[in-house]
Amino acid sequence: MSTVTVAAIVARATALFEDLRFSAAREWKSAVLGRKVVGYMPIYVPREIIHAAGMLPLGIVGGGDQLEVIHGDAYYQSYICRIPRSTIELGVSGRLDFVDGMLFPSICDVIRNLSGMWKLMFPHVYSRYFDVPQNYSDEVGGNYYVNELAELRHDLGNLRGQPITDAELTASILVYNDNRRLVRELYALRAEQPWQVPAAEAYLLLRAGLVLPVEQHSEMLRDYLRAARAEVRPRRDNCRVVVTGTFCEQPPLNLIKSLELAGCYVVDDDLLLVTRWLTGDVTPSGDPLRDLALAFLHHSESTAAKYEPNESEKGQHLVRAVKRSGAEGVIFAAPSFCDPALLDRPILQHVLKAAGVPYIAFKYAENSGQMQPIREQAGTFADSIKLWSGQ
Ligand code: SF4
């Protein structure tokens, strides 16, 4: 049995998080001649298809607070979020020069435009705007999505010079089922005992899954779950919150740490949703593309960037997350200028109000440096929850 400690796992995940040259992915690629890396942006792509092609799916979520954006600003107006600018910076500075393909999932106009820019700026790289269904009937949205998946499968087969077989896809689905199960276990443990799984550690573990081969990431999660359960950690008198709105541009790590220091245990969130977008196992039926399509239609996360056809269902995912995780309040944290998160916020707040769930809201940028106002706001929120729940 592995005896690796929590500290050692977190140190490795932190090193991967800080490495904006993506050395782990570069090393994976150069270890075997002919290997390829396909990058993807938030919020969801079917990583199984990339994996089935023998390629490494590489999650790109901007440059964070360590990257100085020098060229990226020139490509965009100032009144949009920061992730496209820092992603351009990663590209033009050569940090992604080993990446053979880029997928830009359908999340908002900014990412759609970025996909077009990528095609112009890096014409030698396979780039695809990856669309998802807005209709959830099997015969309409399902068939449409199977065709989208088939095109991606065909393109990646071309990129490697050999078609991707059903057997390869099914094997990859099983590998990702295992990984998603472990991520769900991590989230369940944190909801149950948040003092044993600090939010920053959970986040770093998920970030590691964006750059490591999935098999290595699953091993890391297993090691962490075992080590975290064995560790004795102090339990604070914190309130329990769900953090929402963080599904694309990422908050700085210090912001996540600040919430807990201010008295809020994060018991659920929508960070890095790709790691748990499909909410249950995908059961292989012999038709892997249809299996992935049906899982997307019927067993996937809800978020502002995903169409919800049923008005009365809008926002209920948040109420369910509060109940499931035993949260006492919700923190709306959204990137500045993020249309999907900020346009949905009033609707979601209305739903929470009706359900009697307290909330606060603030904005951030991936390079926000000043945490004091957020700490004060979160601290006051935690105190007020304690007062209310004591009545
Ligand atoms: S942060 Fe929001 S607006 Fe910006 S690219 Fe992501 S989803 Fe779009």
Side-chain angles (χ1 to χ4, degrees), residues 134-151:
Q134 312 259 324
N135 172 298
Y136 298 95
S137 98
D138 294 0
E139 299 311 316
V140 181
N143 288 347
Y144 161 80
Y145 194 44
V146 167
N147 286 333
E148 279 292 304
L149 295 173
E151 278 188 25

Side-chain angles (χ1 to χ4, degrees), residues 42 80-84 107-111 247-249 305 335-341:
I80 61 161
C81 55
R82 193 170 186 270
I83 185 173
I107 181 168
C108 72
D109 289 347
V110 174
I111 297 292
F247 49 82
C248 185
E249 181 174 317
S336 292
F337 300 108
C338 176
D339 279 359

Side-chain angles (χ1 to χ4, degrees), residues 13 29 41 64 184 220 249 321 357 366:
K29 178 171 175 170
M41 294 208 65
R184 286 199 299 273
M220 179 186 255
E249 181 174 317
V357 180
E366 62 179 3

Side-chain angles (χ1 to χ4, degrees), residues 114-180:
L114 182 60
S115 77
M117 287 172 64
W118 213 264
K119 280 198 168 104
L120 292 173
M121 294 173 71
F122 307 104
H124 59 286
V125 172
Y126 167 73
S127 296
R128 182 178 179 86
Y129 179 70
F130 180 73
D131 224 336
V132 294
Q134 312 259 324
N135 172 298
Y136 298 95
S137 98
D138 294 0
E139 299 311 316
V140 181
N143 288 347
Y144 161 80
Y145 194 44
V146 167
N147 286 333
E148 279 292 304
L149 295 173
E151 278 188 25
L152 180 62
R153 169 189 186 160
H154 171 263
D155 287 359
L156 294 185
N158 276 352
L159 195 58
R160 82 160 171 182
Q162 198 184 337
I164 300 169
T165 66
D166 279 357
E168 286 173 321
L169 271 171
T170 300
S172 297
I173 286 173
L174 295 177
V175 170
Y176 275 94
N177 276 348
D178 182 44
N179 188 259
R180 280 186 290 264

Side-chain angles (χ1 to χ4, degrees), residues 138-313:
D138 294 0
E139 299 311 316
V140 181
N143 288 347
Y144 161 80
Y145 194 44
V146 167
N147 286 333
E148 279 292 304
L149 295 173
E151 278 188 25
L152 180 62
R153 169 189 186 160
H154 171 263
D155 287 359
L156 294 185
N158 276 352
L159 195 58
R160 82 160 171 182
Q162 198 184 337
I164 300 169
T165 66
D166 279 357
E168 286 173 321
L169 271 171
T170 300
S172 297
I173 286 173
L174 295 177
V175 170
Y176 275 94
N177 276 348
D178 182 44
N179 188 259
R180 280 186 290 264
R181 235 177 273 138
L182 290 162
V183 172
R184 286 199 299 273
E185 199 179 326
L186 176 73
Y187 269 58
L189 176 62
R190 185 177 62 164
E192 197 186 313
Q193 300 177 318
W195 55 94
Q196 292 293 94
V197 184
E201 287 186 10
Y203 179 67
L204 287 167
L205 280 172
L206 294 195
R207 282 291 292 253
L210 266 51
V211 298
L212 289 177
V214 60
E215 298 83 355
Q216 281 183 34
H217 185 236
S218 293
E219 200 181 316
M220 179 186 255
L221 287 168
R222 268 192 197 92
D223 285 345
Y224 180 85
L225 284 162
R226 182 199 47 73
R229 284 193 173 105
E231 194 135 312
V232 179
R233 289 175 152 177
R235 180 177 179 168
R236 295 172 198 269
D237 185 27
N238 283 6
C239 73
R240 303 162 61 92
V241 300
V242 172
V243 174
T244 188
T246 54
F247 49 82
C248 185
E249 181 174 317
Q250 297 298 282
L253 186 60
N254 270 340
L255 191 154
I256 299 171
K257 289 180 180 168
S258 291
L259 295 180
E260 279 192 344
L261 288 173
C264 298
Y265 278 138
V266 178
V267 290
D268 200 0
D269 59 53
D270 60 358
L271 292 155
L272 305 175
L273 277 179
V274 66
T275 59
R276 56 198 185 287
W277 182 261
L278 302 182
T279 53
D281 283 358
V282 182
T283 311
S285 71
D287 185 350
L289 294 189
R290 186 149 284 274
D291 296 340
L292 286 171
L294 294 183
F296 183 97
L297 293 187
H298 305 302
H299 307 287
S300 60
E301 284 286 350
S302 298
T303 174
K306 180 181 160 194
Y307 179 61
E308 173 52 69
N310 179 355
E311 211 177 308
S312 64
E313 184 50 31

